[in-house]
């Protein structure tokens, strides 16, 4: 292995997400090009690099770097280049020059040990100073951690992911138990963590290794929506993974159970292995559902039949038998499920229930799992609906992120209505029910035929299956809804029937095309010209392209690149930034792809700050307002009012969203939906995925592709069985009351 020492003269290319870098290194013997995953080097920085020479056909001789050791810059020029590189937010070339001119060779010591003096520099106030100090400390911390990780064969690419998760505790956590990486770090499976452990000298029969294998298999099932794993599946799967005797796995299972990490249970003569939080959540949810269903309720001193007639007269409607049943049962029961497809009157029922409770002077609260679903609920009821997290006051506390409302500080409401209940997983349902007092009426509204929750559990389906909670299933399509082919076809598809296509003057169309490139071109043209010109819809705000998959010729990755170039093309002066495999441009439509409860947002009215808060959530859609290379930030506007600022190293939380997956669209509604109908894995070409996709549309659906794949999706009613036991536990809890 060869070694070079020198100063980074230029960063030719850097991938901000995975840190792959091409840089020019000035050495005593001249310039050298270095390449590799290098997370912490910056222009002006002195480094020692170790690696091997390679030859690139286009770029010539380069050193492929495997180890980088930073050397603190020792000259005024070096320090200025180091600070000018964009390493630290709010220090660009101009500010760096001012700082170095003021403090000279003492600059880095000033920043590290006496940062308050930076306020002597014009333009640096308290807010900027705090950001500078935090970033500088993080850089020093990051260097030490990266050197440690490299010594055990962990590439900087994964090193950055590890550091984001564990922060300053990274070294201690990995030294104690490297197998924790497979539980916590996306992309590091058990085998990769195992290789790291072997580099650290950990035995193949180490208890940490066996436990790590067991946990990995359990969590793999959890990521597929299961709350438990049958023991008869868990032990062989773990034995195959770690290649040890099954007796050692049995022993480790007992130890994990004794320590409360897993729970071993029997159901119907089968041994089940739960990750303990899932077991406790199912137990708590089961108990609480029975409590709510059997609770003593406040009596309503009204004639319900007369009240319903009054509402019919005021609204000019006539309720169907099932709608009346849903309204009455919501008053008479502590908990009820109202389920049905589009056009079956769920919103009408919700509004009637709200009116009856408000007329009695009772408190009503509304919530939904996602921000967009909550916003839609607000629009259809005229009452503010919140996300479940916001309803429960999810915030940062001393012990970390936690819900402010729970059994000790419950919700103060008489009625809680939750929409899009099919999206709620077992952990969120547990947190929700903890905060609800017996005597509070709970109404769950959802479509059980849609895709299940992304997280573990089959909550809505199991509650219905338990037979303990009153369920009203709406199946009748109302006259106005019957005029919509979206509604008609959604129900046809749900029954396994082929949809009615291209009816004149209707809202559901199919464009035949067999070549994937032509499918993408047609979709692009629909978004850019055909639909805006014919229907007067807005390409950005009204049209959403959905695809079953991320990759492939008609996946969202391909579609987003094409749609970006059509809808928001490169233009002189328009700022853009390449992050990983994505190019972000001012004006781009983007989506937050993970929950970030601490991300700050601000709302301005006429240039004046009116409101600020925290929390940007998975599925939130926004528009890029600005890209600032000097401060290394991107500003995004969400919900047409909330401004959020991202550092470049946070941009793995954003993705282009001209096209998005059907899974990510759950809980949302758009005026126009366009979907490619093309080949894909059978697990994605399913009836309930197609059903979920088209029911996101309010006014128009356009499918583009081959009818044979449309038929494949309709015929494929194979819904993967989720291992969950909530229905069983609800019935068991009933015997204790």
């Amino acid at each position: 292995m060869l070694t070079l020492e020198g100063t980074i003269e230029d960063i030719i290319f850097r991938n901000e997400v995975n840190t792959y870098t091409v840089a020019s290194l000035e050495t005593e013997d001249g310039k050298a090009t270095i390449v590799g995953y290098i997370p912490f080097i910056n222009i002006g920085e002195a480094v020692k690099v170790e690696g091997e020479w390679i030859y690139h056909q286009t770029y010539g001789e380069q050193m492929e770097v495997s180890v980088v050791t930073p050397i603190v810059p020792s000259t005024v020029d070096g320090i200025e280049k180091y600070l000018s590189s964009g390493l630290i937010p709010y220090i660009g070339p101009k500010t760096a020059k001012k700082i170095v001119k003021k403090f000279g060779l003492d600059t880095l010591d000033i920043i590290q040990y006496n940062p308050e003096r930076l306020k002597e520099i014009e333009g640096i106030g308290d807010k900027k100073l705090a950001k500078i100090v935090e970033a500088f400390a993080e850089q020093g911390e990051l260097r030490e951690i990266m050197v440690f990780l490299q010594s055990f064969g962990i590439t900087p690419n994964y090193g950055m992911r590890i550091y984001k998760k564990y922060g300053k505790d990274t070294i201690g956590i990995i030294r104690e138990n490297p197998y924790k990486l497979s539980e916590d770090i996306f992309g590091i499976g058990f085998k990769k963590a195992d290789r790291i452990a072997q580099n650290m000298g950990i035995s193949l029969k180490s208890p940490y290794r066996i436990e790590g294998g067991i946990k990995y298999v359990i969590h793999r099932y959890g990521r597929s929506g299961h709350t438990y794993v049958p023991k008869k599946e868990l032990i062989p799967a773990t034995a195959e993974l770690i290649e040890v005797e099954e007796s050692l796995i049995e022993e480790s299972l007992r130890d994990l159970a004794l320590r409360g990490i897993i729970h071993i249970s029997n159901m119907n003569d089968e041994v089940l292995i739960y990750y303990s939080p899932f077991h406790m959540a199912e137990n708590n949810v089961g108990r609480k559902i029975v409590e709510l269903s059997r609770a003593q309720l406040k009596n309503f001193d009204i004639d319900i039949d007369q009240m319903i007639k009054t509402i019919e007269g005021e609204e000019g409607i006539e309720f169907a038998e099932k709608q009346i049943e849903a309204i009455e049962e919501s008053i008479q029961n502590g908990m009820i499920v109202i389920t049905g497809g589009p056009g079956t009157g769920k919103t009408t029922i919700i509004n009637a229930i709200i009116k009856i409770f408000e007329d009695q002077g009772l408190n009503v609260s509304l919530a939904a799992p996602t921000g967009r679903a909550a916003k839609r609920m607000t629009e259809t009821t005229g009452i503010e609906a919140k996300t479940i997290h916001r309803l429960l006051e999810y915030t940062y506390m001393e012990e970390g992120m936690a819900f402010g409302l729970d059994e000790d500080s419950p919700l103060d409401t008489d009625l809680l209505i939750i929409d899009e209940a099919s999206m709620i997983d077992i952990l969120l349902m547990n947190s929700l029910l903890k905060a609800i007092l017996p005597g509070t009426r709970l109404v769950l509204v959802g479509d059980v035929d849609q895709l299940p929750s992304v997280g573990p559990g089959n909550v809505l389906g199991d509650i219905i299956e338990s037979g303990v909670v009153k369920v009203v299933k709406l199946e009748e399509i109302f006259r106005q809804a019957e005029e919509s082919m979206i509604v008609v076809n959604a129900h046809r598809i749900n029954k396994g029937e082929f949809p009615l296509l291209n009816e004149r003057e209707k809202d559901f169309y199919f464009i035949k095309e067999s070549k994937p490139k032509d499918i993408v071109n047609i979709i692009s043209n629909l978004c850019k010209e055909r639909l805006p010109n014919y229907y007067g819809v807005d390409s950005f705000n009204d049209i959403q392209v959905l695809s079953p998959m991320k990759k492939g010729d008609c996946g969202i990755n391909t579609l987003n690149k094409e749609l970006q170039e059509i809808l928001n093309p490169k233009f002189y002066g328009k700022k853009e930034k390449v992050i990983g495999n994505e190019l972000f441009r001012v004006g781009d439509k983007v989506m937050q792809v993970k929950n970030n409860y601490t991300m700050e947002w601000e709302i301005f009215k006429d240039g004046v700050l009116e409101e600020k808060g925290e929390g940007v959530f998975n599925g939130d859609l926004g528009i890029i307002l600005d890209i600032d290379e000097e401060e290394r930030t991107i500003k995004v506007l969400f919900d047409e009012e909330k401004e959020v600022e991202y550092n470049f190293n946070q941009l793995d939380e954003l993705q282009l969203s001209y096209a998005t997956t059907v899974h990510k669209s759950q809980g949302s509604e758009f005026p126009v939906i366009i979907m490619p109908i093309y080949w894909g894995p059978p697990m994605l070409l399913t009836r309930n995925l197609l059903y979920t996709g088209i029911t996101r549309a309010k006014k128009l659906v356009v499918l583009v592709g081959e009818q044979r794949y449309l038929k494949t999706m309709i015929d494929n009613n194979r819904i993967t069985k989720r291992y969950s036991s909530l229905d069983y536990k609800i019935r068991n809890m009933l015997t204790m009351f």
Side-chain angles (χ1 to χ4, degrees):
M1 188 174 287
L2 300 170
T3 301
L4 292 177
E5 286 193 22
T7 303
I8 302 298
E9 285 294 307
D10 188 22
I11 304 290
I12 299 164
F13 171 79
R14 171 179 280 156
N15 182 318
E16 296 283 350
V17 174
N18 68 15
T19 74
Y20 184 81
T21 303
V22 180
S24 177
L25 182 71
E26 181 70 40
T27 73
E28 289 183 355
D29 299 322
K31 290 186 180 180
T33 300
I34 61 173
V35 300
Y37 295 98
I38 314 170
F40 48 72
I41 66 166
N42 290 278
I43 294 171
E45 188 168 7
V47 294
K48 180 173 76 173
V49 297
E50 299 174 51
E52 300 290 347
W53 289 109
I54 60 172
Y55 187 83
H56 191 283
Q57 279 189 332
T58 304
Y59 302 110
E61 194 172 49
Q62 303 173 330
M63 175 181 268
E64 190 170 54
V65 172
S66 55
V67 178
V68 181
T69 306
I71 303 168
V72 176
S74 56
T75 67
V76 169
D77 187 51
I79 292 170
E80 185 179 328
K81 285 182 178 178
Y82 174 64
L83 293 179
S84 298
S85 64
L87 166 75
I88 300 171
Y90 299 107
I91 297 184
K94 292 179 183 177
T95 306
K97 185 179 282 294
K98 291 179 186 177
I99 293 172
V100 174
K101 185 177 180 181
K102 176 79 174 176
F103 301 117
L105 290 173
D106 295 328
T107 295
L108 297 181
D109 285 340
I110 292 288
I111 295 174
Q112 185 166 5
Y113 301 114
N114 194 10
E116 282 289 324
R117 290 200 61 194
L118 290 176
K119 288 199 287 185
E120 297 173 23
I121 306 300
E122 183 184 355
I124 298 181
D126 289 334
K127 183 178 178 181
K128 284 190 178 181
L129 178 65
K131 294 273 189 184
I132 290 168
V133 170
E134 180 185 356
F136 191 77
E138 188 178 272
Q139 285 295 317
E141 193 176 84
L142 177 60
R143 286 190 181 89
E144 179 188 357
I145 288 168
M146 286 299 169
V147 171
F148 167 81
L149 295 176
Q150 285 179 135
S151 69
F152 292 107
I154 302 174
T155 66
N157 184 16
Y158 284 105
M160 284 301 294
R161 297 185 192 183
I162 294 166
Y163 177 72
K164 280 186 178 182
K165 177 67 178 177
Y166 300 138
K168 67 181 186 301
D169 300 322
T170 297
I171 293 173
I173 288 170
I174 293 175
R175 274 184 174 148
E176 181 183 357
N177 180 12
Y179 292 100
K180 192 164 171 50
L181 294 170
S182 66
E183 299 175 39
D184 297 337
I185 309 300
F186 178 77
I188 297 187
F190 177 82
K191 291 183 178 178
K192 193 166 288 185
D194 202 27
R195 284 196 298 273
I196 294 165
Q198 301 318 303
N199 287 339
M200 296 176 71
I202 291 177
S203 164
L204 293 175
K205 293 189 178 182
S206 159
Y208 277 136
R209 183 170 187 267
I210 298 168
E211 285 184 12
I214 292 170
K215 288 179 184 176
Y216 175 73
V217 173
I218 291 173
H219 286 304
R220 188 173 66 194
Y221 273 76
R223 286 192 294 272
S224 296
H226 306 290
T227 59
Y228 68 80
V229 189
K231 184 181 176 184
K232 65 184 181 184
E233 292 184 25
L234 176 63
I235 288 181
T238 306
E240 182 181 353
L241 179 71
I242 61 177
E243 298 178 337
V244 301
E245 305 92 290
E246 291 192 356
S247 60
L248 292 176
I249 298 169
E250 289 268 14
E251 185 180 326
S252 188
L253 281 172
R254 287 192 292 271
D255 184 54
L256 285 166
L258 285 170
R259 286 156 49 203
I261 295 169
I262 65 168
H263 178 83
I264 303 174
S265 183
N266 281 277
M267 185 174 73
N268 300 328
D269 298 323
E270 186 174 32
V271 180
L272 314 179
I273 312 295
Y274 293 83
Y275 176 48
S276 284
F278 298 165
H279 169 70
M280 289 187 286
E282 279 197 343
N283 277 351
N284 293 342
V285 170
R287 175 181 54 78
K288 196 72 191 218
I289 282 173
V290 174
E291 277 185 10
L292 292 172
S293 300
R294 298 296 179 267
Q296 186 71 35
L297 302 174
K298 293 178 184 176
N299 288 324
F300 269 51
D301 188 21
I302 60 168
D303 183 330
I304 297 176
D305 291 338
Q306 184 55 49
M307 189 69 187
I308 289 172
K309 284 186 173 61
T310 300
I311 294 171
E312 287 178 326
E314 291 174 350
E315 299 297 325
I317 59 175
E318 184 178 342
F319 290 115
E321 186 178 328
K322 279 288 183 181
Q323 288 182 304
I324 293 172
E325 180 187 352
I327 296 166
E328 291 177 342
E329 296 292 350
S330 298
I331 294 168
Q332 295 164 359
N333 288 275
M335 182 172 177
I336 177 176
V337 172
I338 301 171
T339 182
T344 55
K346 297 190 294 292
T347 299
T348 306
I349 293 168
I350 290 172
N351 285 327
I353 294 169
I354 290 170
K355 179 167 179 52
I356 291 170
F357 274 76
E358 286 188 333
D359 282 356
Q360 293 297 299
L362 300 174
N363 294 325
V364 176
S365 298
L366 310 180
T370 67
R372 292 184 70 84
K375 186 177 180 182
R376 196 174 76 246
M377 200 178 187
T378 300
E379 291 167 352
T380 57
T381 63
I383 298 174
E384 183 190 13
K386 301 177 180 179
T387 63
I388 295 173
H389 282 84
R390 188 170 163 224
L391 177 78
L392 301 181
E393 299 178 8
Y394 194 77
T395 188
Y396 186 81
M397 300 183 180
E398 287 185 11
E399 63 274 19
M401 298 304 297
F403 290 105
L405 301 186
D406 55 21
E407 54 268 82
D408 297 321
S409 181
L411 274 167
D412 181 18
T413 192
D414 298 299
L415 169 69
L416 174 60
I417 303 176
I418 303 290
D419 200 8
E420 297 287 356
S422 63
M423 298 178 66
I424 304 176
D425 64 34
I426 192 64
L427 297 178
L428 183 57
M429 191 65 172
N430 183 34
S431 297
L432 175 66
L433 295 186
K434 279 182 181 178
I436 301 177
L437 288 171
T440 299
R441 289 170 172 85
L442 175 62
V443 178
L444 298 181
V445 183
D447 187 345
V448 75
D449 295 315
Q450 284 189 23
L451 291 169
S453 62
V454 174
N458 186 34
V459 175
L460 186 63
D462 280 357
I463 291 172
I464 293 171
E465 190 65 28
S466 73
V468 172
V469 175
K470 177 64 184 178
V471 177
V472 179
K473 185 168 178 61
L474 307 171
E475 295 176 309
E476 181 181 347
I477 304 174
F478 291 96
R479 187 179 302 126
Q480 190 174 3
E482 281 180 344
E483 297 173 5
S484 167
M485 297 311 298
I486 298 172
V487 172
V488 170
N489 283 336
H491 287 271
R492 288 178 68 87
I493 287 166
N494 204 26
K495 295 173 185 174
E497 299 172 5
F498 202 78
L500 303 174
L501 305 174
N502 302 332
E503 298 271 318
R504 190 173 178 81
E505 302 298 324
K506 292 293 185 179
D507 55 11
F508 198 105
Y509 295 96
F510 193 100
I511 299 174
K512 294 181 182 179
E513 183 51 65
S514 59
K515 295 177 181 177
K517 188 170 183 179
D518 290 337
I519 291 173
V520 172
N521 288 337
I522 288 170
I523 289 173
S524 298
N525 186 251
L526 284 166
C527 292
K528 175 68 175 175
E529 295 179 354
R530 290 172 64 179
L531 297 183
N533 291 343
Y534 190 81
Y535 289 95
V537 294
D538 182 83
S539 297
F540 266 78
N541 300 316
D542 296 335
I543 301 173
Q544 184 61 52
V545 178
L546 301 181
S547 176
M549 62 209 81
K550 291 181 181 178
K551 299 178 181 179
D553 294 330
C554 295
I556 67 166
N557 294 341
T558 299
L559 286 161
N560 272 319
K561 287 179 181 177
E562 292 293 326
L563 291 168
Q564 181 187 49
E565 289 309 307
I566 291 290
L567 300 176
N568 189 31
K570 187 179 183 71
F571 187 77
Y572 178 76
K574 185 179 283 189
K575 298 176 186 175
E576 55 184 47
K577 181 69 180 176
V578 175
I579 306 289
N581 295 321
E582 292 217 80
L583 182 151
F584 291 109
R585 189 175 285 145
V586 169
D588 272 338
K589 188 174 177 181
V590 291
M591 176 184 282
Q592 174 79 9
V593 294
K594 56 179 77 169
N595 289 331
N596 187 329
Y597 302 103
T598 59
M599 182 70 84
E600 296 179 356
W601 50 261
E602 297 176 327
I603 296 176
F604 293 88
K605 296 289 185 186
D606 300 321
V608 178
L609 179 62
E610 186 174 84
E611 185 182 350
K612 60 194 306 185
E614 294 182 342
V616 185
F617 302 104
N618 191 353
D620 285 353
L621 291 171
I623 301 289
I624 294 179
L625 294 179
D626 187 35
I627 298 174
D628 191 321
E629 284 283 358
E630 173 134 340
E631 296 186 2
R632 298 173 66 77
T633 59
I634 286 184
K635 186 175 289 185
V636 179
L637 182 69
F638 288 100
D639 296 329
E640 300 179 0
E641 60 177 5
K642 294 179 181 176
E643 293 187 15
V644 178
E645 193 171 84
Y646 293 79
N647 293 324
F648 283 175
N649 63 7
Q650 294 176 300
L651 294 181
D652 57 344
E653 297 188 16
L654 285 179
Q655 69 178 30
L656 294 177
S657 64
Y658 299 97
T660 187
T661 62
V662 175
H663 282 86
K664 287 287 186 187
S665 74
Q666 280 184 270
S668 300
E669 196 172 69
F670 307 93
V672 180
I673 289 295
I674 304 173
M675 281 184 70
I677 303 296
Y678 189 65
W679 180 90
M683 63 181 293
L684 292 177
L685 298 189
T686 64
R687 183 189 300 176
N688 67 335
L689 185 139
L690 175 64
Y691 174 80
T692 302
I694 66 171
T695 55
R696 301 306 90 209
K698 288 194 292 186
K699 296 180 179 178
L700 180 67
V701 168
V702 183
L703 307 180
V704 185
E706 296 191 65
Q707 289 194 15
R708 59 174 171 148
Y709 292 120
L710 181 61
K711 187 172 190 312
T712 295
M713 295 181 83
I714 294 166
D715 291 344
N716 184 7
N717 199 30
R718 184 181 63 194
I719 299 172
T720 304
K721 163 68 178 168
R722 286 195 170 192
Y723 291 131
S724 63
S725 52
L726 179 60
D727 55 341
Y728 175 85
K729 289 179 177 178
I730 293 171
R731 288 191 292 268
N732 262 10
M733 291 290 177
L734 188 63
T735 63
M736 302 178 188
F737 278 74

